[in-house]
Amino acid sequence: MTKILLTSNGFFTDLIKQQFLQLIDGDLSNLKATIITTASHKKQNNRFAMKAKEDLLGYGFKKVDFNDIEFDKPELLEKYNVIYINGGNPFNLLYHMKKSGADLILKDIAKQNTVIVGVSAGAIILGPNIEVVNYFTPQINTVDMQDLTALGLTNKAIFPHYDREDLFPNNSGRSIEDRLKVFENINKCSVVRLKDDESVLIQ
């Protein structure tokens, strides 16, 4: 049974927190969670990763680890009840997912009772592809990814931080929405817009 929560900013609101907790089976104090930090160059020192750990411990988890699939064995993911994929660079994250084999392990884990939380880049790579990232910010593809196929754990193509024009500047002065409409028209697809305080629950 798939249990996926897609967000822009993690546990940003009480509603998102409630959505997450309703996915959990069992006593939180007996469950293990890990935060995949690979997408951010600051890894586990990324402030959002640190806040996520603080939040999870606050909810009652007794054990919350950090995991970096660039260096850690992806098989380690199999021992956790909750996998929280932190944000950062979607190209880097997807590259290391595929290189390490963590993508295959996550696809297998998703069929079980494991809860997967995707945050920003983490939400994007759980969808069908990262084409929208390449359209808006091709300059951050520092790993020279050509195959932009993502994990496909959901068919929803996510655009996080939809309300943050400051994160996606444009020389032509066109809004995020204007550019998304062009992208959707070119690619014959539909993109889910996620504001910073919004989430999508899949179960």
Side-chain angles (χ1 to χ4, degrees):
M1 177 182 175
T2 301
K3 294 182 176 182
I4 296 175
L5 182 62
L6 307 173
T7 78
S8 277
N9 259 3
F11 307 125
F12 197 63
T13 68
D14 287 340
L15 175 59
I16 296 173
K17 172 188 172 181
Q18 289 162 13
Q19 286 179 321
F20 168 69
L21 292 176
Q22 78 182 42
L23 294 175
I24 304 293
D25 288 334
D27 184 350
L28 287 176
S29 63
N30 295 324
L31 303 180
K32 298 176 183 176
T34 191
I35 299 162
I36 295 178
T37 62
T38 310
S40 169
H41 68 278
K42 290 186 176 179
K43 307 290 187 178
Q44 68 187 53
N45 293 316
N46 172 276
R47 65 188 177 97
F48 296 106
M50 291 190 287
K51 179 167 189 311
K53 181 171 184 175
E54 184 181 303
D55 286 342
L56 289 165
L57 289 170
Y59 298 159
F61 286 88
K62 286 293 183 285
K63 184 172 179 60
V64 180
D65 296 329
F66 289 118
N67 184 284
D68 182 4
I69 55 172
E70 183 177 353
F71 301 105
D72 297 331
K73 291 181 179 179
E75 292 81 13
L76 293 172
L77 297 175
E78 295 172 347
K79 67 179 183 178
Y80 294 99
N81 309 99
V82 172
I83 296 174
Y84 182 106
I85 309 173
N86 198 40
N89 186 318
F91 292 106
N92 286 1
L93 178 58
L94 186 57
Y95 174 82
H96 289 294
M97 280 273 179
K98 292 179 175 180
K99 184 179 179 182
S100 68
D103 58 335
L104 301 178
I105 288 174
L106 278 175
K107 287 178 184 180
D108 187 50
I109 287 173
K111 298 171 188 171
Q112 301 164 27
N113 206 30
T114 306
V115 175
I116 299 175
V117 181
V119 181
S120 192
I124 297 170
I125 63 103
L126 293 176
N129 58 64
I130 61 168
E131 296 283 357
V132 73
V133 183
N134 199 47
Y135 183 77
F136 273 77
T137 52
Q139 70 277 8
I140 67 172
N141 185 3
T142 56
V143 289
D144 194 30
M145 279 201 83
Q146 303 299 318
D147 179 6
L148 302 180
T149 306
L151 272 62
L153 295 185
T154 168
N155 61 4
K156 298 183 186 300
I158 299 293
F159 189 94
H161 314 299
Y162 173 66
D163 51 342
R164 294 288 306 278
E165 296 284 349
D166 58 307
L167 294 180
F168 305 98
N170 178 249
N171 292 335
S172 68
R174 290 185 301 162
S175 68
I176 290 174
E177 179 60 24
D178 289 341
R179 287 176 280 164
L180 274 176
K181 285 178 178 174
V182 172
F183 174 81
E184 289 175 321
N185 188 46
I186 292 171
N187 291 276
K188 302 295 184 285
C189 68
S190 177
V191 176
V192 177
R193 284 94 162 135
L194 269 191
K195 295 179 181 177
D196 273 2
D197 61 353
E198 293 180 331
S199 59
V200 175
L201 185 62
I202 299 167
Q203 60 182 139

